[in-house]
Amino acid sequence: KQEVTQIPAALSVPEGENLVLNCSFTDSAIYNLQWFRQDPGKGLTSLLLIQSSQREQTSGRLNASLDKSSGRSTLYIAASQPGDSATYLCAVKVNAGNMLTFGGGTRLMVKP
Amino acid sequence: NAGVTQTPKFQVLKTGQSMTLQCAQDMNHEYMSWYRQDPGMGLRLIHYSVGAGITDQGEVPNGYNVSRSTTEDFPLRLLSAAPSQTSVYFCASSKTVNEQFFGPGTRLTVL
């Protein structure tokens, strides 16, 4: 059974710092990996999708990498801002159905 | 496009009552699914559909029914609500195996 782990569970950084969020998964046979942002009491906003054949994806200050063989993905946030404060979730798709397996999330706080 | 919409936003039920959570998308996505989010448990898949007329069970399907009569709609039915079904429910849709888009969620409390 696929298991997804995110470390750390919580992170507090000063504004302007570059930071890395980690996601690991136990089964490397994945279709894709997706990073989401969730604000308190809100739904999930898709940030980046990496297909299994890709190594990384970039959007603005965000860069996500994927190393399938080691079962790891990282989300790099450059020049963090207070508006980046949220919970970040990674999820892997393991088959052609619609099932995503989620990690527990990293709760990020960026202090002004 | 409105994207993925869910109604209601909040609902309180008594044990044993039934209700339907509504989900609709206007992106012509084939795939739709329902997740529940619980503290300490993360998001877990309840049911999913890969097209009109086709549904399948996810990780935690007990106590829930779904149907997919149209591409746009994917309602989730609670047959006899239990306190263990207190949760936040999210509907999601995607074009085949690509990026999934989530609705704003329904916060359900069962007393």
Side-chain angles (χ1 to χ4, degrees):
Chain A
K1 179 186 173 186
Q2 179 76 263
E3 293 183 0
V4 181
T5 304
Q6 291 186 246
I7 294 173
L11 182 63
S12 180
V13 300
E15 182 177 4
E17 195 163 294
N18 301 326
L19 56 99
V20 174
L21 307 181
N22 296 296
C23 172
S24 61
F25 46 95
T26 54
D27 186 346
S28 62
I30 64 171
Y31 265 62
N32 58 45
L33 184 145
Q34 198 166 350
W35 282 93
F36 295 90
R37 168 187 173 136
Q38 186 175 30
D39 293 289
K42 303 292 185 182
L44 281 69
T45 300
S46 178
L47 296 173
L48 290 164
L49 172 74
I50 310 177
Q51 300 291 356
S52 62
S53 58
Q54 297 174 322
R55 296 286 301 211
E56 66 177 342
Q57 283 286 338
T58 298
S59 176
R61 294 183 293 108
L62 305 179
N63 176 276
S65 67
L66 174 63
D67 184 343
K68 261 183 43 175
S69 60
S70 67
R72 293 181 182 180
S73 177
T74 61
L75 179 67
Y76 174 82
I77 303 177
S80 58
Q81 303 171 357
D84 294 331
S85 298
T87 295
Y88 291 81
L89 298 160
C90 75
V92 297
K93 184 184 284 287
V94 299
N95 53 37
N98 215 31
M99 182 171 182
L100 288 177
T101 301
F102 281 84
T106 294
R107 191 169 62 252
L108 172 67
M109 175 169 289
V110 181
K111 297 179 180 179
Chain B
N1 286 353
V4 181
T5 58
Q6 292 183 238
T7 57
K9 285 188 171 56
F10 302 94
Q11 183 70 49
V12 179
L13 293 177
K14 294 181 180 178
T15 297
Q17 287 185 314
S18 63
M19 79 159 294
T20 299
L21 307 186
Q22 301 291 345
C23 174
Q25 53 89 13
D26 61 358
M27 298 175 282
N28 200 31
H29 285 171
E30 296 94 341
Y31 285 22
M32 296 186 74
S33 52
W34 277 101
Y35 292 83
R36 58 179 289 174
Q37 185 176 33
D38 302 291
M41 301 291 290
L43 281 104
R44 293 176 293 169
L45 183 68
I46 305 171
H47 284 285
Y48 67 97
S49 168
V50 298
I54 306 169
T55 63
D56 206 347
Q57 297 181 350
E59 185 182 355
V60 288
N62 292 342
Y64 307 94
N65 273 0
V66 291
S67 60
R68 185 94 179 272
S69 56
T70 67
T71 299
E72 295 78 19
D73 300 296
F74 191 43
L76 177 73
R77 298 183 187 84
L78 280 70
L79 307 174
S80 178
S84 61
Q85 293 178 305
T86 293
S87 187
V88 182
Y89 291 85
F90 290 101
C91 178
S93 74
S94 67
K95 193 82 173 167
T96 62
V97 297
N98 289 330
E99 186 178 14
Q100 287 206 30
F101 295 90
F102 281 72
T106 293
R107 191 172 296 271
L108 176 67
T109 301
V110 183
L111 303 175

